[in-house]
Amino acid sequence: MKKIIYALILSVVVVSGLVFSFTPLTDSSGTNREIKTETTKKSIQKQLTAAERNTELKKWEACPDGIMFKNWETSPAGKKVDAGIAKISKSVRDYTNMEAIVTSLSLPSGSRLGFGVMVRINGDDYILSFGPEKSTKNNYNFDSEFEQLYRLKVNDKIIIKSHSISKAPKYYYPIVAGDYVERDGKIIYKRAPSKDGC
């Protein structure tokens, strides 16, 4: 009889141990801690060394997308975009005022940059991109963070500041991130700081 009781207790301990080991741990909010740990491990990736970055760049340059990009960079269109970037890179790097004139209230056909306008800075054309629109719903009214930007007109003179400028073979113009816009001495747009602090 004692052997049967010991066998039953042992089997219960073994089975409950197995169930516990396969049951994900949860915190007080019911969130799976195993998943959180894995996500954290994945998001904290080791920084690549300069040699590793160079190796990865060489690999990318050898793939079809990299070859196409390098060909575009050396084309007249790519060189024109690079010249436009060089013209304002110091202002972007230092986050200083740039005078611009609105030339179009819409982006080039087929653009996937969200909301933006075309501007001319020092005689060159640029895409001034603000990204996807986020509307907020208050008492059945929809407010847009770009509401004041919608009031811009062609030939409006504005002051802009940007933290970044980019390029892509799909576009014939440098892409300036719209972080700050001022018209007639009044701020009409200022990008909200990122919630993650970056």
Side-chain angles (χ1 to χ4, degrees):
M1 184 72 172
K2 284 184 179 180
K3 286 184 180 178
I4 293 172
I5 292 172
Y6 284 122
L8 285 172
I9 291 171
L10 184 62
S11 63
V12 168
V13 169
V14 169
V15 169
S16 63
L18 288 172
V19 168
F20 182 77
S21 67
F22 287 107
T23 304
L25 300 173
T26 57
D27 59 18
S28 59
S29 67
T31 307
N32 186 330
R33 282 176 29 202
E34 280 184 353
I35 292 172
K36 275 187 178 179
T37 305
E38 279 216 15
T39 305
T40 304
K41 285 178 187 172
K42 285 179 186 174
S43 64
I44 302 173
Q45 293 180 355
K46 178 181 92 163
Q47 290 285 356
L48 296 177
T49 65
E52 290 170 329
R53 279 195 306 271
N54 197 33
T55 302
E56 289 299 314
L57 179 63
K58 294 285 182 204
K59 276 189 209 172
W60 179 78
E61 286 176 343
C63 78
D65 284 344
I67 292 167
M68 183 197 77
F69 185 79
K70 291 305 278 178
N71 288 341
W72 173 77
E73 272 192 319
T74 58
S75 73
K79 287 179 180 176
K80 181 178 181 291
V81 169
D82 279 340
I85 289 172
K87 210 172 201 183
I88 65 169
S89 63
K90 185 178 185 324
S91 294
V92 171
R93 186 175 56 249
D94 298 340
Y95 194 64
T96 57
N97 289 352
M98 294 181 278
E99 291 182 10
I101 296 172
V102 177
T103 59
S104 174
L105 301 177
S106 60
L107 295 181
S109 177
S111 169
R112 303 182 105 182
L113 299 169
F115 173 71
V117 295
M118 296 297 298
V119 295
R120 183 164 294 133
I121 304 168
N122 294 331
D124 284 345
D125 292 321
Y126 296 84
I127 293 172
L128 182 59
S129 172
F130 299 95
E133 182 175 4
K134 299 174 208 108
S135 294
T136 56
K137 185 178 177 184
N138 298 327
N139 299 329
Y140 304 104
N141 293 322
F142 289 92
D143 295 325
S144 167
E145 63 179 318
F146 305 137
E147 190 175 340
Q148 293 187 64
L149 294 171
Y150 292 145
R151 298 179 187 151
L152 287 173
K153 297 183 182 85
V154 172
N155 293 326
D156 274 354
K157 291 181 182 178
I158 57 176
I159 300 292
I160 63 173
K161 290 183 189 178
S162 177
H163 285 294
S164 67
I165 185 166
S166 59
K167 61 183 178 179
K170 180 177 180 177
Y171 304 105
Y172 294 110
Y173 313 97
I175 305 159
V176 178
D179 295 321
Y180 173 96
V181 181
E182 185 183 305
R183 181 183 58 193
D184 299 329
K186 293 179 184 173
I187 299 170
I188 62 170
Y189 177 78
K190 189 172 184 179
R191 188 179 305 279
S194 178
K195 288 182 181 174
D196 60 7
C198 296

